[in-house]
Amino acid sequence: MKKYRFVILLLALLISVHAHAKTVGFCCVQDTDALIESKQLTAALEAALFDVCFDSGLIATNIAYDVQGYEGYANNFLLNKALASTVDYLTVVYCESESNKVASSSGKLSDWNHIHCKLIDFTSERKMFEKQIPVALHQDKDILMQAYTMGQRIGNMVIQEVLHNSNGR
């Protein structure tokens, strides 16, 4: 009987070590002169990133980061320094603004031009991907929902790369 308990305990230990959940940190950066409404869109995008990651079984956290604009996006050293805890992967999203504003039928405004995103393997500091996504917000649709959908799209790219990287190790 004791032998079976030991085997069961050993199997449980092996399964729990193998099933270690991956952690992804998110950092959303925007321009300092972005519209207040664009900051709300960034929050919707970040909420979608969390939802997609949690639904796929990843542990997600966000990072408080004071450096704004493209400099905040591009400087990996500052990003790594901002992390209070270790994560497996770091996703950085920069919502680039421009002077053109899009108003939706609900009165929401946006000045997003492009979304830049990159995924970094935190341990090796290797950039796994970096993409620039043009933003085409349509004024006849809910802009917050469009931002959420953009976040889902980025989240799915992150999950696909994390799972591919996990299987390759």
Side-chain angles (χ1 to χ4, degrees):
M1 187 70 167
K2 288 185 180 186
K3 184 178 180 180
Y4 290 116
R5 282 190 213 164
F6 176 74
V7 171
I8 291 172
L9 181 62
L10 184 61
L11 284 174
L13 180 65
L14 289 174
I15 290 171
S16 68
V17 168
H18 182 69
H20 167 69
K22 298 294 181 187
T23 56
V24 179
F26 293 111
C27 181
C28 293
V29 180
Q30 56 193 22
D31 293 318
T32 52
D33 58 348
L35 295 170
I36 296 288
E37 289 87 351
S38 290
K39 294 176 183 180
Q40 293 170 346
L41 294 178
T42 303
L45 186 143
E46 189 175 41
L49 289 171
F50 275 105
D51 290 347
V52 168
C53 284
F54 285 140
D55 289 347
S56 71
L58 297 175
I59 298 170
T61 184
N62 65 342
I63 299 160
Y65 188 56
D66 292 333
V67 182
Q68 298 297 312
Y70 188 78
E71 171 63 21
Y73 170 79
N75 194 329
N76 289 345
F77 175 76
L78 289 176
L79 287 163
N80 288 340
K81 200 169 133 180
L83 283 171
S85 63
T86 304
V87 294
D88 295 312
Y89 303 96
L90 175 61
T91 304
V92 188
V93 179
Y94 165 51
C95 304
E96 179 186 355
S97 299
E98 66 173 16
S99 58
N100 297 336
K101 295 166 180 51
V102 175
S104 71
S105 55
S106 64
K108 301 273 186 207
L109 290 174
S110 170
D111 59 355
W112 282 359
N113 182 26
H114 287 93
I115 302 287
H116 303 262
C117 63
K118 63 183 172 182
L119 178 66
I120 301 168
D121 183 322
F122 188 73
T123 358
S124 68
E125 295 184 15
R126 179 178 62 93
K127 194 183 305 179
M128 297 172 68
F129 75 73
E130 184 167 18
K131 299 189 186 295
Q132 179 178 338
I133 304 167
V135 177
L137 296 174
H138 304 285
Q139 63 183 18
D140 58 336
K141 296 182 181 174
D142 182 4
I143 289 182
L144 279 174
M145 191 59 191
Q146 291 177 67
Y148 188 87
T149 302
M150 180 73 69
Q152 288 177 318
R153 183 172 155 197
I154 294 169
N156 286 327
M157 286 189 293
V158 167
I159 289 168
Q160 183 177 23
E161 195 64 37
V162 165
L163 293 178
H164 178 263
N165 193 50
S166 295
N167 293 336
R169 284 188 178 176

